Amino acid sequence: MAVAEPQFDDLYREIILDHYRRPRNRGELAAPSQRVEGVNPVCGDEIHLDLEIGDNTIRDVSYWGHGCSISQSSASMLTERLKGCSIEEAERVMGKVRAMLIDGATPDDEIGDLQALEGVARLPVRVKCALLCWNVLKEGLQQATTAA
Amino acid sequence: MAVAEPQFDDLYREIILDHYRRPRNRGELAAPSQRVEGVNPVCGDEIHLDLEIGDNTIRDVSYWGHGCSISQSSASMLTERLKGCSIEEAERVMGKVRAMLIDGATPDDEIGDLQALEGVARLPVRVKCALLCWNVLKEGLQQATTAA
Amino acid sequence: MINPREIRKDFPILEQQVNGRPLVYLDNAATTQKPRQVIEALVRYYETSNANIHRGIHTLAVRATEQYEAVRGKTAVFLKASHAEDIVFTRNTTEALNLVARAWGDANVHEGDEIVLTLMEHHSNIVPWQQLARRTGAVLRYAGITPEGKLDLDEVRGMIGPRTKVVSVVHMSNVLGTINPVAEIGEMARKAGALMVVDGAQSAPHLPVDIEALGCDFFAFSAHKMLGPTGVGVLWARRGLLETMEPFLGGGDMIALVRQDESTWADVPHKFEAGTPNIADVIAFGAALDYLGNLGMGAVRAHEMALTAYAMEQLSSIEGLKMHGPERADERGGVVSFAMNLAHPHDIATIADGHGVAIRAGHHCAQLLMRHLGVAATSRASFSIYNDKDDIEALAEALEHVNRVFGDGSSRAAI
Amino acid sequence: MINPREIRKDFPILEQQVNGRPLVYLDNAATTQKPRQVIEALVRYYETSNANIHRGIHTLAVRATEQYEAVRGKTAVFLKASHAEDIVFTRNTTEALNLVARAWGDANVHEGDEIVLTLMEHHSNIVPWQQLARRTGAVLRYAGITPEGKLDLDEVRGMIGPRTKVVSVVHMSNVLGTINPVAEIGEMARKAGALMVVDGAQSAPHLPVDIEALGCDFFAFSAHKMLGPTGVGVLWARRGLLETMEPFLGGGDMIALVRQDESTWADVPHKFEAGTPNIADVIAFGAALDYLGNLGMGAVRAHEMALTAYAMEQLSSIEGLKMHGPERADERGGVVSFAMNLAHPHDIATIADGHGVAIRAGHHCAQLLMRHLGVAATSRASFSIYNDKDDIEALAEALEHVNRVFGDGSSRAAI
Ligand SMILES: Cc1ncc(COP(=O)(O)O)c(C=O)c1O
Ligand SMILES: Cc1ncc(COP(=O)(O)O)c(C=O)c1O
């Protein structure tokens, strides 16, 4: 029998690896309005998000933490995609990313680079890696809304 | 296929049932030199032996207790066989009964009615019933030896 | 409608001869036999999916984890419970009850508090509470039994009061067959501010259970008594209760963060499943739940009730035989304990075994009940879905034989 | 001599493809696969002998009891222990260690007493002692690890003193592979009047164990890590020790006499096996012991040591890969943990899985050790009797692929 090609190369798409190797918006913000964090106790992945929210807009966002390429690149792409977005748009993007990861929904262009995470949905055990920063974001947005 | 005869009728030989229905030497002695007892915690069988030992002889022996036909008839036969015996003979009989029950040794006439218990050796789960009174006796003889 | 003849085809063990007779297995309250679907689930697991669960990334680990957690969901459905996370897998009912007595009891029961039990409890629902009482100085109280073998509800009512911290009652007695009104007792406990624990070891296998309707706080049972493999027990807890409890066993899989001096715990139910669980058997238990689910627990109950009625009728015609427990089959499960004038329970069981009929003789882990009944032991026949009237008749025949063996010499000579 | 090619024929699960490649199972420290002899023992038990044990008179009950107790004897022989009654069956290593911490610890460890552990312990040999320390006010002390990944024996020696009540050490680390000199440490404990507990979860499956020569007081391990089924653990105790201990779990089968207010206990080991045990799996564990016994544990060790040496050689040629633990294969068991410069352990495990290679990534229930190593997780390959050099090469190939995927874009384009 012919040996199959190694699987999961589509998981590690170049765009993911690029965000993993050259993280965008990594570090702390000078004056975040929200600072939120999340840990995945099972695998130890850790994500911190700094958000600067005002006028219903994510004026700035950064992240730091450690973990696998999926959790870290997901966070990097999150910051890149949402910086400067209205809360409304951020929530729409978040909804689409979650639908893609959790329900396997087909992503559309609105989520940008994040479409590269589509392959993760096929691997339930890694979905939580990709979701981690989005769970953290959700909490951050909730805090912002409550504070407002 | 022909239905087999019910098994274990050879276990319940008439002599066993006779001792069960009409126990010999049942009750307490007036002045026992040894009073010993044993319980089988798994099935609740209980045997008490009263022994009157002197001059290296079991001058008198009686039993009481409750439990299945095997444990009770074994005790009844014990008393019948050993009353008036020398300790030496009692120990020999005890050895032969134990060998029959535990190792499946073929009994000889010296043990008398007790040969009827031979079938029990085939049923490991019931052997302890037949042995109970012999374990109690062993303790009684030990006490007598130590006291002497 | 249950068709035992069809069902038997799924139980390879029942095809054998015992002592030259076809095996008639009437020891189902001790443990039931397993359908090939359960055995095959075990084989399938070990031949295709075996791996340690919950932390693995590789394919087998993911597969095994999904199969294991799916059974938690199935167990919830079986109990009509709303949340799979309220279910902890243990080794057996006994461990489940110990878990409650330790993890809930040690934190909530104090000196002078009262623990209400009944005289018909299985040792597994007595000893853990005795141990708790000894650790804490709490007091045990036992509700009695009516002459007909039912729980004395008035006594229970009188016993539950402001000092009661927990009431723990067997749902169906493994000796008398009595089905206790646990919902009603749970209501009494609730009003007194006490928790209600139900030992469901005999009820989950034989009665439709609607856990929310029972209104209890904890419910424990064993897979091996309901067509499942040995080594799996279930503890269900009322929503939110597990969260309030400290863990019981410590170790792998139940932690969030381990530091040198102290640790934090994983979410429920994992907090209560320390170490590698009995993965294969939990998964095979899923096949048992499917099997019972396909039959329908209502049908199981109807079949076993009819069989119990038939057994009580047949046994009542045997001379010198006295049955324990409620007289009406609809007030009891498929368990019939009895005494015979002439023969001791162990002799009865041996002679029945000589007929290929497997019944149990002894105290059935219910010594308090034996003492109450004034006996050292009883003989017990108990039924499952693969039993039919022929099995009852084989039992009756064996018991007639007991009477012939133990009757006077003349009738014995005639056999 | 072990011939993995022959042995594999006994392991049906290994015949499968994972992600289009033949399964290469290198997660044996988590759990091993099971030979058909073990699976068949399960099937045979359920198809011929299933019954509840220890109290039954009928044929199946006697048969099941004999088979179950025979495995206690086999376990004693496997450990070269003199007495089968010194062996208690639990669910797993974790439960065995909890049993010691509760049933022995609660009665013997007091405020200010010291419990000596090491930084390389599995959570199952940490958390039960933390819980004990919390209940009693005892103090935990952790011996450190040398740069080469060995236990710092001088530190252990310095730590054991008059306040030490118990020393509990892993025999073989599930992360570093390190084999600890437990006999030597046991001697230190004995001199200080402390008890010595050995976590044998990784040693019993892979090294010849002579329990008397180890000189410890308790020894715990799990069947599922040594070809046996899930749901069975073993606790061995030094002669006489179990007798001095109060029971842990209470319930059926562990009592002698139950009265309303208190009970008396059955003889050991039954005193520690409450409720219906995991009968089928204990019996199937007997088949696993037979399987290992036929191979000979010396041969098992020799095979796995050779494989470990080969793995260390192969992995050392992979760029950016760093192995943890002792450098010499004869000082370690068949476990190789490693880090790679470019990729996180979870990504390594996923890519390996894409090659059909099952390895584990994570903290391996050893967070204290991870913290000591300064990592959040490691990747780990671990070996068993059915693994061969081809498996190692498949792993090496997968790891090369990891480097290609995570290397810079140019090399990635080339694959
Ligand atoms: C060294 C060590 N100790 C203890 C354990 C716990 O074993 P189990 O999960 O079977 O209780 C393991 C296995 O995970 C181990 O490797
Ligand atoms: C009513 C009742 N409770 C508890 C138990 C204990 O079940 P297990 O031995 O599976 O723990 C049994 C079974 O023996 C039972 O019948």
Side-chain angles (χ1 to χ4, degrees), chain B residues 113-126:
Chain B
D113 281 5
L114 288 156
Q115 293 176 79
L117 289 171
E118 193 180 357
V120 177
R122 280 199 300 117
L123 271 188
V125 77
R126 302 303 301 277

Side-chain angles (χ1 to χ4, degrees), chain C residues 130, chain D residues 254-259 262-266:
Chain C
Q130 288 181 338
Chain D
M254 53 69 76
I255 57 90
L257 203 69
V258 174
R259 295 189 188 283
E262 54 180 15
S263 301
T264 55
W265 314 129

